[in-house]
Amino acid sequence: MASAGRALVVPALKQHTSTIIVAHGLGDSGAGWTWLAENWRRRGKFEETAFVFPSAASIPITVSGGHNMPGWFDIVRPRSIPSNSLEEIDFKEDETGLLRSREYFHSLIAAEIEKGIPSERIVIGGFSQGGAMSLLSGTTCPTRLGGIFGLSCFLPLEYKLKDLVPKDNPNKDTKIFMGHGDADQVIRLEWGQRSANKLTEMGWTVDLKTYHGLPHSADPEEIDHLELYLKERIPDLGDKASKA
C-alpha cells in the first residue's frame, strides 16, 4: 500500500495475547520507536505483547517545499490558532492521505485479529503525525480495541469524525490516553486540548496529561503514565491464557 513501508515487529516473549501498534511521526520510521518495546522488555513488562512498528512511505510534504519524507499524510499548511480564539483554525487537511493511512492501520489491526488476538487486546497509538493517525484510526475502527493513545498530537478530520465512526461505535467505551508537553513548539498544547475536548464531547473518556517544560518529544514520566494505562488495558494473562 502506498501509505506505508515495511513494519518492524518485536514478538512477544511468552504466549502472544496482546498487540500494541505504534505509529511514528513525520520524517521518522518504525525503527525510531523500537526503544519503547526495548525499555519495557528490559524491565520485564508486557511479556505477552507483540509490538508492531510500521513505517510510512516517503511522500511530498508541501510545507517542506514538496520534499519527500516519511509521512502518513501531507501537511499542506501549518495549523495555527489565533490567540484570541480556539474556534478559528487556518488549516487545510490532506483528507485523501489521512483516509488512505487510516485504511492501512485498520488492516494492521485486522491482521492481528487474524492471528487470533482478540480485538479488545489490541492497542493503537503513536507520536505526533502517528498519534494523529492513531486517534483517527482508533476511534473509527470497526472492531473494539483495548486502547488508543496519542502523544504530542491532535485529532485530524475532527469535523468529519462523526460521519467516520461506525454506527454501533464499538469503541465508545475505549479509554483514550493523551500526553502533551506545554512547551511543544510543533503541535501546540492548545491543539491537543482542543482534540481531547472534542473527543470528550463525542462521548469518549480521555485522560490528557500535560508535562511542564516538555517540547515536541517524549518524556520518561509520560512513558511511565502510558505504561500504567497499558497495564490497565491489556494486562498479561499468565495462567489464564493457557486455560482459555
Side-chain angles (χ1 to χ4, degrees):
M1 183 175 289
S3 59
R6 187 175 180 180
L8 291 174
V9 177
V10 177
L13 290 180
K14 297 182 177 179
Q15 182 174 348
H16 181 192
T17 68
S18 61
T19 298
I20 300 175
I21 299 168
V22 183
H24 65 77
L26 180 66
D28 202 352
S29 69
W33 275 82
T34 55
W35 63 266
L36 190 64
E38 293 163 359
N39 169 50
W40 286 325
R41 285 283 186 266
R42 284 195 301 269
R43 297 187 291 118
K45 308 291 184 180
F46 307 112
E47 293 185 326
E48 297 178 12
T49 301
F51 295 83
V52 178
F53 299 96
S55 292
S58 288
I59 60 172
I61 302 297
T62 302
V63 295
S64 295
H67 295 296
N68 280 14
M69 64 178 66
W72 300 112
F73 53 91
D74 186 19
I75 301 176
V76 182
R77 184 167 62 227
R79 172 173 281 211
S80 61
I81 302 178
S83 59
N84 63 343
S85 172
L86 291 180
E87 297 303 317
E88 301 174 30
I89 297 181
D90 179 20
F91 185 56
K92 183 178 180 181
E93 295 185 287
D94 173 19
E95 182 175 334
T96 299
L98 283 159
L99 294 180
R100 181 175 59 241
S101 288
R102 181 186 73 138
E103 181 182 351
Y104 170 66
F105 283 105
H106 284 177
S107 76
L108 290 179
I109 293 168
E112 293 304 305
I113 295 172
E114 289 233 352
K115 294 176 186 176
I117 305 303
S119 66
E120 63 272 16
R121 287 187 58 80
I122 299 172
V123 173
I124 186 168
F127 173 80
S128 194
Q129 250 206 5
M133 283 311 314
S134 297
L135 294 181
L136 177 63
S137 303
T139 55
T140 63
C141 187
T143 54
R144 184 161 68 96
L145 298 174
I148 302 165
F149 69 87
L151 310 179
S152 304
C153 68
F154 63 94
L155 173 67
L157 302 180
E158 63 175 52
Y159 293 110
K160 197 169 186 177
L161 187 64
K162 186 176 180 181
D163 297 328
L164 296 173
V165 174
K167 288 184 179 179
D168 61 345
N169 192 4
N171 286 294
K172 62 181 182 299
D173 297 321
T174 302
K175 294 181 180 178
I176 299 172
F177 175 84
M178 295 178 67
H180 215 119
D182 64 7
D184 194 325
Q185 74 283 20
V186 177
I187 299 178
R188 287 168 45 184
L189 174 60
E190 291 93 331
W191 308 341
Q193 290 171 327
R194 177 189 176 98
S195 296
N197 291 337
K198 177 67 174 181
L199 289 165
T200 300
E201 288 171 9
M202 293 187 66
W204 275 283
T205 298
V206 181
D207 180 11
L208 170 63
K209 294 191 182 299
T210 59
Y211 303 92
H212 181 64
L214 179 66
H216 194 61
S217 180
D219 178 85
E221 182 183 16
E222 179 183 35
I223 299 305
D224 286 344
H225 290 155
L226 175 60
E227 179 182 318
L228 291 173
Y229 166 79
L230 293 171
K231 283 173 68 176
E232 176 187 314
R233 306 307 300 171
I234 51 167
D236 282 354
L237 299 179
D239 291 340
K240 295 178 183 177
S242 58
K243 294 175 183 177

